[in-house]
Short mmCIF file of all heavy atoms in Angstrom, two decimals:
data_model
loop_
_atom_site.label_atom_id
_atom_site.label_comp_id
_atom_site.label_asym_id
_atom_site.label_seq_id
_atom_site.Cartn_x
_atom_site.Cartn_y
_atom_site.Cartn_z
N GLN A 256 19.51 -3.52 7.63
CA GLN A 256 20.39 -2.78 6.74
C GLN A 256 19.77 -1.47 6.26
O GLN A 256 20.40 -0.70 5.54
CB GLN A 256 20.75 -3.65 5.51
CG GLN A 256 21.33 -5.01 5.85
CD GLN A 256 22.56 -4.90 6.75
OE1 GLN A 256 23.45 -4.09 6.50
NE2 GLN A 256 22.60 -5.72 7.79
N ILE A 257 18.54 -1.21 6.66
CA ILE A 257 17.84 0.00 6.23
C ILE A 257 18.37 1.20 7.01
O ILE A 257 18.45 1.17 8.24
CB ILE A 257 16.32 -0.13 6.41
CG1 ILE A 257 15.77 -1.23 5.50
CG2 ILE A 257 15.62 1.20 6.11
CD1 ILE A 257 14.30 -1.53 5.72
N THR A 258 18.72 2.25 6.29
CA THR A 258 19.18 3.49 6.93
C THR A 258 18.19 4.63 6.76
O THR A 258 18.31 5.66 7.44
CB THR A 258 20.53 3.91 6.34
OG1 THR A 258 20.42 4.03 4.92
CG2 THR A 258 21.61 2.88 6.66
N ALA A 259 17.21 4.48 5.88
CA ALA A 259 16.21 5.53 5.63
C ALA A 259 15.12 5.49 6.70
O ALA A 259 14.93 4.48 7.38
CB ALA A 259 15.59 5.34 4.24
N PRO A 260 14.39 6.59 6.88
CA PRO A 260 13.25 6.58 7.80
C PRO A 260 12.21 5.54 7.40
O PRO A 260 12.01 5.27 6.21
CB PRO A 260 12.69 8.00 7.68
CG PRO A 260 13.82 8.82 7.17
CD PRO A 260 14.61 7.93 6.28
N VAL A 261 11.55 4.97 8.39
CA VAL A 261 10.55 3.93 8.18
C VAL A 261 9.25 4.31 8.90
O VAL A 261 9.29 4.76 10.05
CB VAL A 261 11.04 2.56 8.70
CG1 VAL A 261 9.94 1.50 8.56
CG2 VAL A 261 12.30 2.12 7.96
N LEU A 262 8.13 4.13 8.22
CA LEU A 262 6.81 4.20 8.85
C LEU A 262 6.18 2.83 8.74
O LEU A 262 6.04 2.29 7.64
CB LEU A 262 5.93 5.24 8.17
CG LEU A 262 4.47 5.31 8.67
CD1 LEU A 262 4.40 5.68 10.14
CD2 LEU A 262 3.66 6.30 7.83
N LEU A 263 5.79 2.26 9.89
CA LEU A 263 5.18 0.93 9.93
C LEU A 263 3.74 1.08 10.39
O LEU A 263 3.47 1.65 11.45
CB LEU A 263 5.97 0.03 10.87
CG LEU A 263 5.63 -1.47 10.88
CD1 LEU A 263 6.82 -2.28 11.37
CD2 LEU A 263 4.43 -1.77 11.77
N VAL A 264 2.80 0.57 9.59
CA VAL A 264 1.37 0.70 9.88
C VAL A 264 0.73 -0.68 9.84
O VAL A 264 0.90 -1.42 8.86
CB VAL A 264 0.67 1.61 8.86
CG1 VAL A 264 -0.81 1.78 9.23
CG2 VAL A 264 1.35 2.97 8.77
N VAL A 265 0.00 -1.03 10.89
CA VAL A 265 -0.78 -2.26 10.90
C VAL A 265 -2.16 -1.97 11.45
O VAL A 265 -2.39 -0.94 12.10
CB VAL A 265 -0.12 -3.38 11.74
CG1 VAL A 265 1.20 -3.81 11.13
CG2 VAL A 265 0.06 -2.94 13.19
N GLY A 266 -3.07 -2.88 11.20
CA GLY A 266 -4.37 -2.82 11.84
C GLY A 266 -4.39 -3.74 13.05
O GLY A 266 -3.33 -4.08 13.60
N ASP A 267 -5.58 -4.17 13.44
CA ASP A 267 -5.71 -5.20 14.47
C ASP A 267 -5.56 -6.55 13.76
O ASP A 267 -6.52 -7.30 13.59
CB ASP A 267 -7.06 -5.09 15.18
CG ASP A 267 -7.21 -3.77 15.90
OD1 ASP A 267 -6.21 -3.27 16.45
OD2 ASP A 267 -8.33 -3.21 15.91
N ASP A 268 -4.35 -6.82 13.32
CA ASP A 268 -4.06 -7.87 12.36
C ASP A 268 -3.79 -9.19 13.07
O ASP A 268 -2.74 -9.35 13.71
CB ASP A 268 -2.85 -7.46 11.51
CG ASP A 268 -2.63 -8.34 10.30
OD1 ASP A 268 -3.12 -9.50 10.31
OD2 ASP A 268 -1.98 -7.89 9.35
N PRO A 269 -4.67 -10.18 12.96
CA PRO A 269 -4.42 -11.45 13.63
C PRO A 269 -3.23 -12.21 13.08
O PRO A 269 -2.72 -13.11 13.74
CB PRO A 269 -5.74 -12.23 13.41
CG PRO A 269 -6.34 -11.61 12.18
CD PRO A 269 -5.95 -10.17 12.22
N ASN A 270 -2.78 -11.87 11.88
CA ASN A 270 -1.64 -12.55 11.29
C ASN A 270 -0.31 -12.10 11.88
O ASN A 270 0.67 -12.85 11.85
CB ASN A 270 -1.62 -12.35 9.77
CG ASN A 270 -2.81 -12.96 9.09
OD1 ASN A 270 -3.25 -14.05 9.42
ND2 ASN A 270 -3.38 -12.24 8.13
N PHE A 271 -0.25 -10.86 12.39
CA PHE A 271 1.02 -10.32 12.85
C PHE A 271 0.98 -9.72 14.25
O PHE A 271 2.01 -9.28 14.76
CB PHE A 271 1.54 -9.27 11.85
CG PHE A 271 1.95 -9.86 10.54
CD1 PHE A 271 1.08 -9.85 9.46
CD2 PHE A 271 3.20 -10.43 10.39
CE1 PHE A 271 1.45 -10.41 8.24
CE2 PHE A 271 3.58 -10.99 9.18
CZ PHE A 271 2.71 -10.98 8.11
N CYS A 272 -0.18 -9.67 14.87
CA CYS A 272 -0.31 -9.09 16.20
C CYS A 272 -0.82 -10.14 17.18
O CYS A 272 -1.37 -11.16 16.78
CB CYS A 272 -1.28 -7.91 16.17
SG CYS A 272 -0.76 -6.53 15.11
N GLY A 273 -0.61 -9.89 18.45
CA GLY A 273 -1.12 -10.80 19.46
C GLY A 273 -0.02 -11.51 20.21
O GLY A 273 1.16 -11.16 20.12
N THR A 274 -0.40 -12.55 20.93
CA THR A 274 0.53 -13.25 21.82
C THR A 274 1.76 -13.76 21.08
O THR A 274 2.90 -13.62 21.56
CB THR A 274 -0.19 -14.43 22.51
OG1 THR A 274 -1.33 -13.93 23.20
CG2 THR A 274 0.74 -15.11 23.49
N LEU A 275 1.57 -14.35 19.91
CA LEU A 275 2.69 -14.89 19.16
C LEU A 275 3.24 -13.90 18.13
O LEU A 275 4.28 -14.16 17.51
CB LEU A 275 2.28 -16.19 18.46
CG LEU A 275 1.85 -17.34 19.39
CD1 LEU A 275 1.46 -18.56 18.57
CD2 LEU A 275 2.98 -17.70 20.35
N GLY A 276 2.53 -12.81 17.93
CA GLY A 276 2.98 -11.80 16.98
C GLY A 276 3.63 -10.64 17.70
O GLY A 276 4.14 -10.77 18.81
N SER A 277 3.59 -9.48 17.08
CA SER A 277 4.14 -8.28 17.69
C SER A 277 3.12 -7.66 18.64
O SER A 277 1.92 -7.96 18.58
CB SER A 277 4.53 -7.27 16.61
OG SER A 277 5.64 -7.75 15.87
N ASP A 278 3.60 -6.80 19.50
CA ASP A 278 2.73 -6.11 20.45
C ASP A 278 2.10 -4.90 19.75
O ASP A 278 2.75 -3.88 19.54
CB ASP A 278 3.55 -5.66 21.67
CG ASP A 278 2.68 -5.06 22.77
OD1 ASP A 278 1.50 -4.77 22.50
OD2 ASP A 278 3.20 -4.85 23.88
N CYS A 279 0.84 -5.05 19.39
CA CYS A 279 0.12 -3.99 18.68
C CYS A 279 -0.86 -3.27 19.60
O CYS A 279 -1.85 -2.69 19.14
CB CYS A 279 -0.60 -4.55 17.47
SG CYS A 279 0.45 -5.46 16.31
N SER A 280 -0.62 -3.30 20.89
CA SER A 280 -1.54 -2.70 21.84
C SER A 280 -1.54 -1.18 21.76
O SER A 280 -2.51 -0.53 22.16
CB SER A 280 -1.22 -3.15 23.25
OG SER A 280 0.11 -2.81 23.62
N SER A 281 -0.46 -0.59 21.25
CA SER A 281 -0.36 0.86 21.08
C SER A 281 0.77 1.13 20.10
O SER A 281 1.64 0.27 19.90
CB SER A 281 -0.07 1.56 22.41
OG SER A 281 1.26 1.27 22.84
N PRO A 282 0.79 2.32 19.49
CA PRO A 282 1.92 2.64 18.61
C PRO A 282 3.27 2.56 19.32
O PRO A 282 4.26 2.08 18.75
CB PRO A 282 1.61 4.06 18.15
CG PRO A 282 0.12 4.16 18.22
CD PRO A 282 -0.26 3.35 19.42
N ALA A 283 3.32 2.99 20.58
CA ALA A 283 4.58 2.94 21.33
C ALA A 283 5.00 1.50 21.58
O ALA A 283 6.20 1.16 21.46
CB ALA A 283 4.42 3.69 22.65
N ALA A 284 4.04 0.63 21.93
CA ALA A 284 4.37 -0.77 22.15
C ALA A 284 4.83 -1.43 20.87
O ALA A 284 5.76 -2.25 20.86
CB ALA A 284 3.15 -1.50 22.73
N LEU A 285 4.18 -1.09 19.75
CA LEU A 285 4.59 -1.65 18.47
C LEU A 285 6.00 -1.20 18.10
O LEU A 285 6.81 -2.01 17.63
CB LEU A 285 3.60 -1.21 17.39
CG LEU A 285 3.89 -1.72 15.96
CD1 LEU A 285 3.91 -3.23 15.91
CD2 LEU A 285 2.87 -1.15 14.97
N ARG A 286 6.31 0.06 18.35
CA ARG A 286 7.66 0.54 18.05
C ARG A 286 8.70 -0.19 18.90
O ARG A 286 9.75 -0.60 18.39
CB ARG A 286 7.77 2.05 18.27
CG ARG A 286 9.09 2.61 17.75
CD ARG A 286 9.30 4.06 18.07
NE ARG A 286 10.48 4.56 17.39
CZ ARG A 286 11.74 4.29 17.76
NH1 ARG A 286 11.98 3.54 18.83
NH2 ARG A 286 12.76 4.77 17.07
N ALA A 287 8.42 -0.37 20.18
CA ALA A 287 9.35 -1.08 21.05
C ALA A 287 9.54 -2.52 20.60
O ALA A 287 10.65 -3.06 20.67
CB ALA A 287 8.84 -1.03 22.50
N SER A 288 8.46 -3.12 20.10
CA SER A 288 8.52 -4.51 19.63
C SER A 288 9.31 -4.64 18.33
O SER A 288 10.02 -5.63 18.12
CB SER A 288 7.09 -5.02 19.43
OG SER A 288 7.07 -6.36 19.01
N GLU A 289 9.22 -3.63 17.46
CA GLU A 289 9.81 -3.72 16.13
C GLU A 289 11.20 -3.06 16.00
O GLU A 289 11.97 -3.42 15.12
CB GLU A 289 8.86 -3.08 15.12
CG GLU A 289 7.65 -3.94 14.80
CD GLU A 289 8.04 -5.18 14.00
OE1 GLU A 289 8.58 -5.04 12.89
OE2 GLU A 289 7.82 -6.29 14.52
N ALA A 290 11.50 -2.10 16.85
CA ALA A 290 12.74 -1.33 16.71
C ALA A 290 13.99 -2.19 16.63
O ALA A 290 14.92 -1.86 15.86
CB ALA A 290 12.86 -0.31 17.85
N PRO A 291 14.11 -3.31 17.38
CA PRO A 291 15.35 -4.10 17.30
C PRO A 291 15.63 -4.69 15.92
O PRO A 291 16.76 -5.10 15.65
CB PRO A 291 15.10 -5.22 18.33
CG PRO A 291 14.10 -4.66 19.28
CD PRO A 291 13.21 -3.82 18.44
N PHE A 292 14.63 -4.71 15.05
CA PHE A 292 14.81 -5.34 13.74
C PHE A 292 15.09 -4.34 12.62
O PHE A 292 15.15 -4.71 11.45
CB PHE A 292 13.57 -6.17 13.40
CG PHE A 292 13.20 -7.13 14.48
CD1 PHE A 292 12.03 -6.98 15.20
CD2 PHE A 292 14.05 -8.18 14.81
CE1 PHE A 292 11.69 -7.85 16.22
CE2 PHE A 292 13.73 -9.06 15.82
CZ PHE A 292 12.56 -8.90 16.53
N PHE A 293 15.26 -3.07 12.99
CA PHE A 293 15.56 -2.05 11.99
C PHE A 293 16.92 -1.42 12.26
O PHE A 293 17.30 -1.21 13.41
CB PHE A 293 14.47 -0.97 11.98
CG PHE A 293 13.18 -1.41 11.35
CD1 PHE A 293 12.14 -1.91 12.12
CD2 PHE A 293 13.01 -1.36 9.98
CE1 PHE A 293 10.95 -2.32 11.55
CE2 PHE A 293 11.82 -1.78 9.38
CZ PHE A 293 10.79 -2.26 10.17
#
Side-chain angles (χ1 to χ4, degrees):
Q256 306 304 314
I257 295 174
T258 56
V261 176
L262 174 62
L263 190 156
V264 183
V265 295
D267 297 324
D268 192 338
N270 296 319
F271 291 97
C272 298
T274 303
L275 298 180
S277 291
D278 186 347
C279 305
S280 58
S281 70
L285 180 59
R286 189 186 188 285
S288 181
E289 285 291 299
F292 308 113
F293 286 95

